[in-house]
Amino acid sequence: MSSPENGTEFPRNRQPTMRTVAMPADTNPYGQIFGGWIMAQMDLAGSVLAIEYAQGRVATVAVHSMEFHQPVTVGDLVSSFARIERIGTTSITVRVEVFAQRPALCVKVTEAVIVYVAVDGEGQRRPLPEHEPAFQSVYG
Ligand SMILES: CC(C)(COP(=O)(O)OP(=O)(O)OC[C@H]1O[C@@H](n2cnc3c(N)ncnc32)[C@H](O)[C@@H]1OP(=O)(O)O)[C@@H](O)C(=O)NCCC(=O)NCCS
């Protein structure tokens, strides 16, 4: 049974990090939305938090535990919710959950844990900036 506590229900108490509509151009040869398109949405949503926290450029260094629970269909309203799970010295670990809404249905379709590293203008890792606890709590 899904509930807000186990994270399978649409989290109405949180703002999505990104929302978009799945379009016909994003389908695979079988008419479902291409998994790579969803992965790109997740990477973008995670990077929104990472860039904000790092106050600048980040690089995606790892994608852990990517799971596809349900297919996405043309016309679905796709909402990505990102939450920072861990702050390291140069890395930010973000959990991204994606929900698809269509008439009379709202399902969690994918989730993943993505690691970003703060990089400088040459693409080399750099330490994350210090933040006040109040700033950090916005992302937790
Ligand atoms: C990002 C990059 C500059 C980091 O350089 P690096 O020499 O690998 O740096 P490190 O090994 O010190 O790792 C940096 C941080 O990432 C973390 N990290 C590296 N690989 C990781 C992995 N597979 N899983 C989780 N964390 C990882 C490290 O633990 C470290 O975290 P911390 O500083 O918070 O403790 C380098 O790996 C790189 O350029 N990678 C390619 C990135 C890219 O092109 N992404 C787009 C793909 S299309």
Side-chain angles (χ1 to χ4, degrees):
M1 176 90 163
S2 69
S3 73
E5 285 71 34
N6 66 20
T8 57
E9 258 184 25
F10 191 88
R12 298 201 176 277
N13 58 344
R14 293 172 60 198
Q15 285 291 329
T17 312
M18 284 189 17
R19 299 185 98 178
T20 189
V21 177
M23 302 293 280
D26 306 316
T27 55
N28 63 24
Y30 312 104
Q32 299 286 11
I33 295 299
F34 177 48
W37 178 84
I38 299 166
M39 290 164 76
Q41 302 304 310
M42 298 176 86
D43 193 19
L44 282 169
S47 73
V48 166
L49 292 199
I51 290 167
E52 226 174 11
Y53 193 95
Q55 293 181 350
R57 184 172 160 185
V58 298
T60 308
V61 76
V63 178
H64 294 302
S65 64
M66 169 75 74
E67 289 181 47
F68 290 89
H69 302 299
Q70 299 276 340
V72 177
T73 311
V74 171
D76 283 356
L77 178 57
V78 177
S79 301
S80 300
F81 292 83
R83 184 200 302 268
I84 291 180
E85 280 205 332
R86 183 180 171 275
I87 303 293
T89 305
T90 66
S91 68
I92 304 165
T93 303
V94 183
R95 175 175 292 277
V96 182
E97 298 168 292
V98 181
F99 290 79
Q101 288 172 274
R102 62 190 79 131
L105 182 71
C106 177
V107 286
K108 183 193 272 191
V109 288
T110 65
E111 58 191 310
V113 175
I114 307 178
V115 185
Y116 302 89
V117 174
V119 293
D120 61 20
E122 278 72 52
Q124 301 300 311
R125 68 183 190 272
R126 65 177 166 92
L128 290 167
E130 301 267 329
H131 289 294
E132 296 294 325
F135 181 96
Q136 296 202 21
S137 68
V138 172
Y139 298 98

